[in-house]
Amino acid sequence: MTAAGVISILCLRQLVRLNRRQFSARAKSVLSGSQTNDQAAPPPTSKSADKMRGWQLHNYGDIDELQLSDMLKIPQIRSSNECLVRIRATAVNPIDLAMLRGYGATVLNKMRCQPGDGIEFPLILGREFCGELVQTGMGVSLPLRSRVWGVVPLQATIGSHAEYVAVPSYCLAPAPKELDDSEAASVLYAGLTAWSGLYITGGLGGPCGATTASGGGAHKRVLVLGGSGGVGTLAIQILKSQKVQVLATCSENAIEMVRNLGADLVVDYNNPQAMEELCKYAPYDIVLDCAGQGGQKAAESKFDFRQYITFSSPLLANIDKQGLGVGALKNVFDLFQTNVRSVTQRGGLVKWGFFSPAPQGIQFLQKLVEQRKLMPLIDSSYGFSELPKAFEKMKSGHLRGKIVVKLREETGD
């Protein structure tokens, strides 16, 4: 298992090296006749045309480690499938706060650092965005100046908390006209996390649910723990769009909001009597943990289930603490031990769910937005210069939807 883990990391590292070396020249020379160099190049954002503003991280720690600079280099397109996007709006997610503190650094640095240099800073956080496509590689068919929405792979050193971001073309798509910039910047990271947990990890729609944008899961019964957060609110809407029976937990003051999302039954997780009512609907096809309880809590629940899927796995944390080899063994042991208890006491398996930037997932979410079956909830909104306040809001918890950061007003679009 340890050897397999090392081989996987080395393969990923090699792929990153190849990506960086291919097509190192900027893609302006391959644009077609009607697209001049001025149209292909990003517009000036500061004193120099190749500089941008962004929030950098030079050390892991707390929010005061975030530093705003207006002299950062605009990312360069380095492969035929990359796209450069001028960001209009972005969001702050729990993973940003975790990565600020160093979460996942051991694995992610193996993927993003050049061999032998070991340099992991500076980093720019931010996992999702809505913006304008300003430059593309040769293999991209999207037209320039398109309004797009997208996500940033976790191993990227330059995230969306800046004026520009470069991402592979499979990580973005035309933004739905049904959403404004803030709304479009609030869907994909949490939405793809929920979609991946349900359809890839949970197999809710069968093989087609994970490999296509078809969805599925009609007449199944799913319990969503933490239905008022960013992932939970979108998971409920996804499930209801597929005719799944949905039950959810949240705090008392969010019950009405979660009920309005379409949940068939919503209970206060602080009310023991209300939680007992959930036993009447067991066994659940899936219990989706969007509340950060983790797999260890699965066996302690009072209701049976076939699958318990949590987005709070110890996978990266174990490797951060104990290194790649020992951490990988610890992950295997933890998952085995958790499942022995879960199967014995509740009859179902515990699985770990993860964010996946899958194009079929983006297509699925886009289809639901266009059908007006999915709408993000925005908890609060901040200007770009207020990004540390957005992190403070995330740190305080008890959110009702997503935290948005707007760049468009300040960049003068």
Side-chain angles (χ1 to χ4, degrees), residues 302-380:
K302 297 182 179 180
F303 37 80
D304 293 340
F305 50 79
R306 296 184 177 90
Q307 297 183 82
Y308 182 104
I309 299 171
T310 179
F311 298 114
S312 298
S313 83
L315 181 65
L316 295 181
N318 282 338
I319 294 175
D320 284 340
K321 291 178 182 178
Q322 303 185 39
L324 183 61
V326 176
L329 290 174
K330 182 72 163 58
N331 285 325
V332 173
F333 178 76
D334 282 353
L335 191 58
F336 175 78
Q337 185 181 48
T338 299
N339 271 292
V340 168
R341 294 181 59 210
S342 173
V343 171
T344 302
Q345 300 180 40
R346 299 275 62 103
L349 294 172
V350 173
K351 299 180 180 180
W352 297 338
F354 302 95
F355 159 75
S356 175
Q360 66 269 29
I362 296 177
Q363 185 182 351
F364 173 76
L365 296 170
Q366 188 155 6
K367 179 175 64 176
L368 294 188
V369 169
E370 291 170 351
Q371 295 171 350
R372 302 190 182 277
K373 293 181 179 180
L374 187 146
M375 174 64 70
L377 298 183
I378 297 178
D379 178 278
S380 48

Side-chain angles (χ1 to χ4, degrees), residues 132-265:
E132 178 187 6
L133 184 63
V134 295
Q135 196 172 10
T136 66
M138 291 185 295
V140 180
S141 59
L142 287 171
L144 294 179
R145 307 305 176 192
S146 297
R147 179 174 173 262
V148 295
W149 64 347
V151 289
V152 183
L154 289 176
Q155 71 270 20
T157 57
I158 299 178
S160 59
H161 294 167
E163 289 183 318
Y164 291 87
V165 68
V167 297
S169 58
Y170 66 81
C171 287
L172 83 172
K177 63 180 183 301
E178 291 81 5
L179 302 179
D180 64 26
D181 292 344
S182 294
E183 292 166 340
S186 306
V187 173
L188 288 186
Y189 184 78
L192 287 171
T193 300
W195 174 84
S196 174
L198 291 168
Y199 289 101
I200 295 181
T201 304
L204 182 63
C208 290
T211 58
T212 71
S214 61
H219 311 304
K220 299 288 188 179
R221 184 180 298 126
V222 176
L223 172 61
V224 178
L225 305 179
S228 62
V231 176
T233 55
L234 294 178
I236 291 170
Q237 294 178 74
I238 288 171
L239 290 165
K240 290 307 298 180
S241 75
Q242 305 301 299
K243 298 181 171 54
V244 177
Q245 183 181 11
V246 181
L247 297 89
T249 68
C250 62
S251 59
E252 183 179 13
N253 60 7
I255 287 178
E256 190 63 27
M257 181 198 78
V258 175
R259 187 178 291 125
N260 289 336
L261 294 175
D264 299 288
L265 177 67

Side-chain angles (χ1 to χ4, degrees), residues 22-90:
Q22 286 181 325
F23 300 97
S24 59
R26 298 178 70 130
K28 60 185 178 182
S29 62
V30 302
L31 297 172
S32 60
S34 63
Q35 297 166 343
T36 66
N37 286 341
D38 288 338
Q39 289 173 310
T45 61
S46 62
K47 294 180 180 179
S48 175
D50 62 347
K51 301 296 181 182
M52 68 174 183
R53 289 192 304 162
W55 286 90
Q56 280 189 325
L57 179 66
H58 292 272
N59 293 286
Y60 296 124
D62 211 337
I63 297 170
D64 57 1
E65 295 291 346
L66 293 169
Q67 299 178 18
L68 178 62
S69 172
D70 61 358
M71 293 300 291
L72 305 181
K73 281 189 175 183
I74 292 176
Q76 291 187 358
I77 290 178
R78 298 186 180 276
S79 67
S80 62
N81 75 327
E82 280 194 321
C83 300
L84 182 66
V85 177
R86 184 184 184 190
I87 295 175
R88 297 178 178 179
T90 183

Side-chain angles (χ1 to χ4, degrees), residues 74-138:
I74 292 176
Q76 291 187 358
I77 290 178
R78 298 186 180 276
S79 67
S80 62
N81 75 327
E82 280 194 321
C83 300
L84 182 66
V85 177
R86 184 184 184 190
I87 295 175
R88 297 178 178 179
T90 183
V92 175
N93 290 284
I95 187 65
D96 295 315
L97 188 59
M99 290 177 69
L100 172 64
R101 296 165 174 164
Y103 173 75
T106 302
V107 171
L108 296 178
N109 287 340
K110 293 285 186 183
M111 301 167 68
R112 62 191 172 204
C113 290
Q114 292 280 6
D117 74 32
I119 299 174
E120 57 188 290
F121 296 109
L123 295 178
I124 297 177
L125 303 174
R127 307 266 65 86
E128 59 188 335
F129 58 87
C130 174
E132 178 187 6
L133 184 63
V134 295
Q135 196 172 10
T136 66
M138 291 185 295

